Amino acid sequence: LNEEYQSRFVARQEFTMPLKFGNIQFTPFASIQMNWRLDDETSGPNQNTDYWYRTIGFRATTQFNRIYNTIDNDLLDLHRLRHVIEPYVTVWNGESDIDTATIQQYDARVDNLSTGTAVWFGVKNKLQTWRGGPGRWYQIDWLTIDTALLLASNDATQRFDNPQFFNWRPEYSSLQDAAIVSGKWQYSDGIAFIGNGTWELDGGTLARGSIGAELDHGRDFRTYLEYREIGNTNDQFLSL
């Protein structure tokens, strides 16, 4: 166990420019992060030097919808239906002057970085309806299904066995070609069924999947029942 202190200074700047072209939201973005060692760079067992890390890319999304006023089903608690289709795409590239896999892990927010090029695109479908009754109608997302593809360059960082993409900070992602599907069915105000799955495109195998139910008791109290399977280790979990 190394008890030597290491001091550093980290600065990160991000630039985004939200633009709108008709119904299309287009947002280019870029960031730069600098890391400086403030102590002796040759001290300690894990030597490290000053380095920089930058990202550049854009996000684009749009929305289409159609309303079905004739739908009314008391069994499913459906009163009118609105179908919302949201296509989206993110193109991203990250680069550094060192191998990011060798960065010492002190703070995941600044050290857990990925490099390479990735394209994330998909479509989110939402079915919205009204519930509550006369004088207290409110709108909910009755059914949500999000399907996406993640395509990564050969030199992209695969930090974990399970491919993941975080659209809000792509540099935190584990980049590998994959198909990712998630869904939620809000059966009633208190009961929802949730599921998701990730498939590796190279071998077509299931990397990770889960299915479960959520029971909302009100007053910020909820219980969950979930079955989860991890393909790489062939593990299965049942949690409550």
Side-chain angles (χ1 to χ4, degrees), residues 30-119:
S31 69
I32 182 72
Q33 178 174 310
M34 299 294 298
N35 182 94
W36 293 275
R37 283 283 298 273
L38 302 180
D39 53 7
D40 183 3
E41 295 181 358
T42 63
S43 66
N46 296 319
Q47 299 178 12
N48 200 359
T49 59
D50 303 337
Y51 66 88
W52 56 264
Y53 175 81
R54 66 103 186 121
T55 69
I56 190 171
F58 70 86
R59 302 180 183 91
T61 183
T62 188
Q63 185 182 105
F64 311 95
N65 69 85
R66 183 175 180 180
I67 298 175
Y68 302 89
N69 290 316
T70 59
I71 292 180
D72 191 84
N73 187 300
D74 291 334
L75 177 63
L76 298 176
D77 203 2
L78 295 177
H79 309 283
R80 302 177 64 193
L81 204 62
R82 179 172 182 249
H83 185 193
V84 181
I85 303 174
E86 299 178 357
Y88 57 85
V89 61
T90 298
V91 178
W92 174 88
N93 175 264
E95 185 182 9
S96 179
D97 61 342
I98 66 168
D99 182 359
T100 56
T102 65
I103 296 177
Q104 302 174 55
Q105 297 293 306
Y106 297 105
D107 187 341
R109 295 173 297 177
V110 296
D111 298 326
N112 192 12
L113 304 174
S114 297
T115 57
T117 301
V119 179

Side-chain angles (χ1 to χ4, degrees), residues 123-196:
V123 178
K124 178 183 287 187
N125 284 271
K126 293 190 296 184
L127 293 177
Q128 300 175 329
T129 191
W130 290 93
R131 286 180 174 169
R136 51 188 178 90
W137 290 112
Y138 61 94
Q139 183 175 274
I140 68 158
D141 294 338
W142 179 66
L143 179 65
T144 303
I145 299 177
D146 193 350
T147 57
L149 288 177
L150 172 61
L151 304 178
S153 59
N154 293 331
D155 61 344
T157 302
Q158 184 183 351
R159 192 169 298 277
F160 310 108
D161 290 338
N162 182 41
Q164 292 177 301
F165 189 81
F166 303 105
N167 197 34
W168 56 283
R169 287 288 291 274
E171 57 263 41
Y172 293 160
S173 305
S174 181
L175 302 173
Q176 182 185 1
D177 294 350
I180 301 175
V181 179
S182 63
K184 181 177 182 179
W185 176 26
Q186 192 70 47
Y187 174 74
S188 67
D189 290 346
I191 301 175
F193 300 96
I194 305 171
N196 64 74

Side-chain angles (χ1 to χ4, degrees), residues 224-238:
Y224 302 85
L225 177 65
E226 180 188 59
Y227 171 78
R228 183 176 298 273
E229 181 172 331
I230 300 178
N232 292 333
T233 58
N234 197 29
D235 289 328
Q236 294 86 33
F237 304 91
L238 183 64

